Amino acid sequence: MTILVTGGDGYIGWPTALRIADRTDERVLAVDNFARREWVEEVGSVSAIPVASIEERIDAAEETLGIRNLSFAEGDLTEKSFVDELLTVHEPSVIVHTAAQPSAPYSQINGERANYTQHNNLQATRNLLWGLDDHDLTDTHFIETTTTGVYGAPEFPIPEGGAVMENDGDRDEVPFPNIGGSWYHATKGFDAQNMRLANTQFGIPVSDVRTAITYGTETEETRQDDRLKTRFDFDYYFGTVAHRFCAQAVAGYPVTVYGKGEQRKPFISLEDAVEGLAQIALTDADERPDDLTVYNQVTRAISIVEVAETIAEAGDAYDLDVAVEHFENPRDEDETHKMEIENDRYHEVIGGQAQSFEAAMDDVLASLTRYADVIEAHEDRFLPGVLEDDEE
């Protein structure tokens, strides 16, 4: 039997495949079509940290970590024939599905990219879920990284999964409504619904891992060899807020906080996200839930202005003079929202936070100062701009 990790060339998928392979004797197969590399190039940017070829990564995993059970398959999960071949040949016992077009800003550029994002993300998930039923693999544990973004920013504590609704004195728990704010976030809400259907109709055990904004450059495994590093995007379209701020600090560019920046967002370190996915994937079949389980993969909520100030303080150790500047907010959002989000079930999985935000920001700055020239050459990508193919 095999454990599949889709999106195995990606920011979370690659280190997750490494950790799982390092902890099991089962074969681990990373699957990807390298689209993330193409999307970032399309918006005129690059990974600040050089990303080795998949062949070099696999070689380094064996040479440095002694991992001999990790392999790779290239293919597009939106193609049903490719998914059928994967499931027929490998009969996975677990699928960790991290593959997606993950950028809300990219999905908002125009209708073409909105359509692409929704087709890519939803078709891949549907092909996998229906494929498991078609190939009599309904005992396969299906784990997907969705997003805490499906919750929006409600004025009440966000539950870990469903929501309680009341009408005329009657109460029941229902799936939390999809109120994410982008065409990308909508795909993850639809995926959550499709996973619920796959569980109720096919009996597939599902873990919906709603992943927070993920930060950091390193995991225990990637520290061991430069060829094992995961990618680091810092541009407006693919760089998350903490990563973009760190890159701005390294380039001597003002850290750009939109509006007051007092709104709190859910965050988790790369180390903790990888650990959570590995723990869930490696849970024995007789101990895992048979139904659909939602995990809020988040360790704490942090305000945007706190993110900026933490990075500015951490920059002192690297002789970075970091200025925090506030700009008019182009987004329609509550700039003072105090998010609360439940995560008890997820904390039981990881046993507590392994890496603090402050320690991770030090990691990031240590990594990025090695590649300051790459960031400085692309500092025009910190803010949204016209893409080359839209200038025609």
Side-chain angles (χ1 to χ4, degrees), residues 27 41-42 44 66 73 76 97 103 108 113 140 158 160 185 206 211-212 217 229 257 283 290 292 296 304-305 326:
R27 185 182 179 202
E41 181 180 357
E42 177 190 339
D76 188 344
H97 183 36
S103 167
Q108 298 287 112
R113 291 177 177 87
T140 296
I158 295 171
E160 198 163 20
H185 287 104
V206 172
T211 305
T217 52
K229 303 302 185 192
V257 176
T283 300
D290 290 328
L292 185 149
N296 285 342
I304 301 303
V305 71
H326 292 255

Side-chain angles (χ1 to χ4, degrees), residues 5 38-39 134 198 237 266 269-270 274 281 317-318 324 327 334 364 390:
V5 180
E38 296 173 3
W39 299 325
D134 290 342
Y237 296 102
S269 71
L270 179 63
V274 166
Y318 299 92
V324 177
F327 291 77
D334 181 356
V364 173
D390 293 329

Side-chain angles (χ1 to χ4, degrees), residues 139-369:
D139 193 43
T140 296
H141 187 187
F142 189 84
I143 304 162
E144 180 175 344
T145 52
T146 57
T147 172
T148 53
V150 301
Y151 294 121
E155 296 297 333
F156 53 80
I158 295 171
E160 198 163 20
V164 175
M165 293 188 67
E166 182 174 344
N167 187 35
D168 289 337
D170 294 322
R171 295 164 57 89
D172 201 353
E173 183 172 308
V174 299
F176 197 95
N178 177 14
I179 51 178
S182 76
W183 298 91
Y184 156 71
H185 287 104
T187 68
K188 292 303 184 177
F190 289 135
D191 271 357
Q193 170 72 355
N194 287 336
M195 287 189 288
R196 185 186 67 81
L197 288 172
N199 174 254
T200 57
Q201 294 185 6
F202 306 149
I204 297 170
V206 172
S207 291
D208 180 352
V209 185
R210 298 185 176 177
T211 305
I213 300 168
T214 308
Y215 57 81
T217 52
E218 300 285 13
T219 65
E220 179 183 340
E221 295 80 13
T222 63
R223 292 181 193 277
Q224 307 305 312
D225 191 315
D226 278 355
R227 294 173 296 170
L228 297 176
K229 303 302 185 192
T230 196
R231 65 177 306 108
F232 186 95
D233 294 305
F234 58 91
D235 62 274
Y236 172 82
Y237 296 102
F238 289 94
T240 59
V241 60
H243 288 181
R244 196 167 64 252
F245 284 179
C246 284
Q248 289 174 329
V250 168
Y253 199 92
V255 172
T256 53
V257 176
Y258 292 149
K260 296 179 180 178
E262 296 173 6
Q263 68 273 36
R264 301 198 324 168
K265 302 287 187 181
F267 285 87
I268 187 167
S269 71
L270 179 63
E271 171 63 38
D272 286 317
V274 166
E275 178 64 18
L277 291 171
Q279 290 279 3
I280 294 169
L282 295 173
T283 300
D284 290 339
D286 57 353
E287 295 180 4
R288 75 187 183 207
D290 290 328
D291 53 6
L292 185 149
T293 306
V294 173
Y295 300 91
N296 285 342
Q297 187 166 248
V298 52
T299 49
R300 62 177 289 202
I302 312 173
S303 72
I304 301 303
V305 71
E306 182 184 354
V307 170
E309 291 172 351
T310 299
I311 292 168
E313 183 176 344
D316 290 342
Y318 299 92
D319 296 324
L320 300 175
D321 184 14
V322 184
V324 177
E325 296 185 7
H326 292 255
F327 291 77
E328 182 179 353
N329 195 343
R331 299 167 181 155
D332 182 14
E333 60 182 337
D334 181 356
E335 296 173 357
T336 62
H337 182 258
K338 306 302 181 187
M339 173 173 285
E340 295 181 50
I341 184 166
E342 298 175 2
N343 60 355
D344 292 345
R345 188 179 297 129
Y346 182 69
H347 262 276
E348 289 180 8
V349 171
I350 63 171
Q353 185 177 10
Q355 187 176 40
S356 70
F357 182 74
E358 294 75 11
M361 290 305 96
D362 185 69
D363 257 355
V364 173
L365 292 177
S367 298
L368 296 192
T369 50

